[in-house]
C-alpha cells in the first residue's frame, strides 16, 4: 500500500510492503525546478524518513518522463540573502547524511541542484537519455551546493574542470564511463532496475548497511590512516551484533538470513 504527503511540489510516497519511500520532485510543467522552500523541505523529509523504521531504502526521482530536475529558480536566487545561499549545501547533502541507502532515479535533464542532489545519493541509476550538467558558468556563477567538490572527488580534477568550467552537458554513457553513474539502462527498464536494487538492499542488515555507509563516506573526509582506524573499529563493533550471528548461522545452515538491525 502506498501513502502520499504533499509539500512544495515535492511528493513523498511510502510503500510499506517494499519498505521504501520515494521522494518525487513534482513540477513537470517547469522541468521539476526546485524552489528554495523545497530545498529546506527536502532536508526535513529526510529527517522524517531517517526516523521511520518502516523505511529501509529511499528513492529520489522526478515526475514525468523529461527530466529528474533542471535545477533551481534563478529569480529566487536573486532574492535570497548571500548568507542563506552559502548554507544551501546543508539541505542538498541530506541523502549523504541519511543512515539509509539512497537511490537517485535519473532521466532526461539533470542539471544544477538536481545533479548536486543526485551526487549526494549513494546510487545513481540513469535512463540512457539522461544529461548531466552544472550550467552555472553560463550565469557567471559556480555550483554552490556540493557540485564542484563531489564531482572532483568522483571523477578527478581534470574531468571535473572539463565539465564544470565549460558548463558541459555529459550524456549518460560518458557519465557512466567517468564514474558519475552506477548504471545506465533503457528508459523502459529504469523503474524496474531501481526497484530491483531497492529489493536487493532491503535484504541486508540495516545496521551493517548504516555502518558501511558511514565508513565509506569517511574515506573522502580524511587520510587513509584515519579511514583504516574507523573501518577497524566498525568491523569490531559489528562482530558483537545479533545480525552478524544470524548471518553466520544462515550461511552455515544454507538458508537466507533474517536480519533485524540489532
Amino acid at each position: 500500500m502506498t501513502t502520499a504527503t504533499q509539500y512544495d511540489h515535492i511528493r513523498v510516497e511510502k510503500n510499506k510492503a517494499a519498505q521504501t519511500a520515494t521522494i518525487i520532485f513534482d513540477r513537470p510543467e517547469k522541468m521539476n525546478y526546485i524552489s528554495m522552500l523545497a530545498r529546506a523541505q527536502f532536508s526535513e523529509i529526510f529527517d522524517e524518513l531517517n526516523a521511520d523504521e518502516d523505511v529501509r531504502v529511499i528513492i529520489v526521482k522526478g515526475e514525468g518522463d523529461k527530466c529528474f530536475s533542471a535545477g533551481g529558480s534563478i529569480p529566487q536566487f536573486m532574492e535570497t540573502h548571500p548568507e542563506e545561499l552559502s548554507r544551501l549545501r546543508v539541505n542538498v547533502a541530506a541523502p549523504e547524511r541519511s543512515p539509509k541507502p539512497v537511490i537517485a532515479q535519473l532521466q532526461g535533464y539533470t542539471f544544477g541542484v538536481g545533479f548536486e542532489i543526485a551526487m549526494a545519493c549513494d546510487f545513481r541509476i540513469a535512463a540512457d537519455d539522461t544529461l548531466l550538467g552544472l550550467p552555472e558558468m553560463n550565469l557567471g556563477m559556480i555550483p554552490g551546493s556540493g557540485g564542484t567538490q563531489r564531482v572532483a572527488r568522483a571523477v578527478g580534477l581534470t574531468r571535473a574542470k572539463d565539465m564544470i568550467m565549460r558548463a558541459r552537458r555529459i550524456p549518460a554513457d560518458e557519465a557512466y564511463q567517468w564514474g558519475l553513474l552506477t548504471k545506465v539502462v533503457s528508459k523502459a527498464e529504469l523503474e524496474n532496475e531501481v526497484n530491483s536494487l531497492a529489493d536487493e538492499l532491503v535484504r541486508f542488515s540495516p545496521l551493517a548497511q548504516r555502518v558501511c555507509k558511514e565508513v565509506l563516506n569517511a574515506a573522502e573526509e580524511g587520510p587513509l590512516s584515519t579511514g583504516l582506524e574507523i573501518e577497524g573499529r566498525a568491523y569490531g563493533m559489528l562482530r558483537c551484533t545479533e545480525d552478524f550471528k544470524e548471518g553466520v548461522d544462515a550461511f552455515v545452515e544454507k538458508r537466507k538470513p533474517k536480519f533485524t538491525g540489532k
Side-chain angles (χ1 to χ4, degrees), residues 18-167:
Q19 301 181 72
T20 63
T22 302
I23 302 171
I24 305 166
F25 299 122
D26 189 11
R27 203 189 302 254
E29 72 282 1
K30 294 187 177 180
M31 295 297 183
N32 294 328
Y33 89 75
I34 303 169
S35 70
M36 290 295 177
L37 175 58
R39 291 173 190 239
Q41 290 178 336
F42 183 70
S43 183
E44 294 168 2
I45 290 166
F46 265 94
D47 289 341
E48 295 173 6
L49 296 179
N50 292 341
D52 190 335
E53 294 183 357
D54 291 332
V55 174
R56 288 285 312 281
V57 176
I58 301 170
I59 299 166
V60 185
K61 61 182 286 188
E63 183 59 57
D65 61 359
K66 293 183 179 179
C67 67
F68 176 74
S69 171
S73 167
I74 294 174
Q76 288 184 357
F77 271 95
M78 305 305 295
E79 300 166 358
T80 304
H81 193 278
E83 187 175 5
E84 184 178 347
L85 289 176
S86 70
R87 292 195 296 264
L88 292 178
R89 68 189 188 282
V90 178
N91 293 333
V92 170
E96 194 170 73
R97 290 194 305 271
S98 175
K100 302 177 181 183
V102 183
I103 306 169
Q105 178 176 323
L106 308 179
Q107 59 184 7
Y109 301 131
T110 303
F111 296 159
V113 68
F115 178 45
E116 289 177 308
I117 285 172
M119 287 300 295
C121 297
D122 303 306
F123 304 90
R124 287 171 290 281
I125 309 298
D128 52 17
D129 70 339
T130 300
L131 276 176
L132 305 179
L134 292 167
E136 286 83 357
M137 272 292 152
N138 292 319
L139 302 175
M141 179 52 79
I142 67 169
S145 296
T148 63
Q149 302 305 298
R150 289 194 178 90
V151 171
R153 283 166 169 75
V155 305
L157 197 56
T158 298
R159 282 175 166 167
K161 287 180 177 179
D162 182 42
M163 178 183 186
I164 300 170
M165 294 180 70
R166 298 172 62 196

Side-chain angles (χ1 to χ4, degrees), residues 248-262:
V248 171
D249 289 345
F251 177 79
V252 172
E253 296 167 11
K254 296 180 170 51
R255 60 174 174 81
K256 292 183 179 180
K258 297 179 180 179
F259 295 120
T260 62
K262 297 180 182 179

